[in-house]
Amino acid sequence: MKNCYAAHVFRMVVEVTSTNWADDLGPKVEGYAQAGIPVYVVADRKHDQVLLCTDPRGGEYKNQTHHKRGTSFFVPDEVGVEMELSVDRLLNGDED
């Protein structure tokens, strides 16, 4: 289909919520898990936190962790790079 890619080419999807935040935290979590995307990160501006979803099995992410402002976390090894993400930067954007 136009503008569609095979799910297996993606190691991680990162999204920032907007007015449709319920989609990013509901149907999209399920859809990406069903597609087998190893890591899904949502900068949830509505709830002022970041959701990290990993280990997609059986159509759901077996691990979902919430990260609060002032913290950071490393992306899981499945992504293939060593990277630390700042919750504040994901929520606020680039303020430099």
Side-chain angles (χ1 to χ4, degrees):
M1 296 179 84
K2 185 177 180 180
N3 295 324
C4 292
Y5 298 91
H8 73 275
V9 302
F10 295 96
R11 305 305 304 148
M12 179 170 74
V13 171
V14 179
E15 298 214 39
V16 178
T17 59
S18 60
T19 56
N20 65 343
W21 62 269
D23 288 341
D24 298 326
L25 299 173
K28 284 188 178 181
V29 173
E30 183 179 316
Y32 287 129
Q34 289 174 353
I37 304 297
V39 178
Y40 180 47
V41 177
V42 183
D44 179 3
R45 296 184 303 167
K46 171 77 173 172
H47 300 102
D48 207 33
Q49 62 185 358
V50 171
L51 173 64
L52 171 64
C53 302
T54 60
D55 193 15
R57 285 185 284 139
E60 63 183 59
Y61 283 105
K62 298 299 181 184
N63 297 316
Q64 295 187 21
T65 56
H66 295 88
H67 299 273
K68 298 180 186 276
R69 280 192 176 276
T71 65
S72 60
F73 60 94
F74 286 93
V75 298
D77 292 338
E78 296 87 346
V79 175
V81 296
E82 194 171 305
M83 182 185 337
E84 184 175 11
L85 296 176
S86 161
V87 171
D88 291 346
R89 183 143 231 194
L90 289 170
L91 291 170
N92 297 341
D94 188 4
E95 295 182 341
D96 293 341

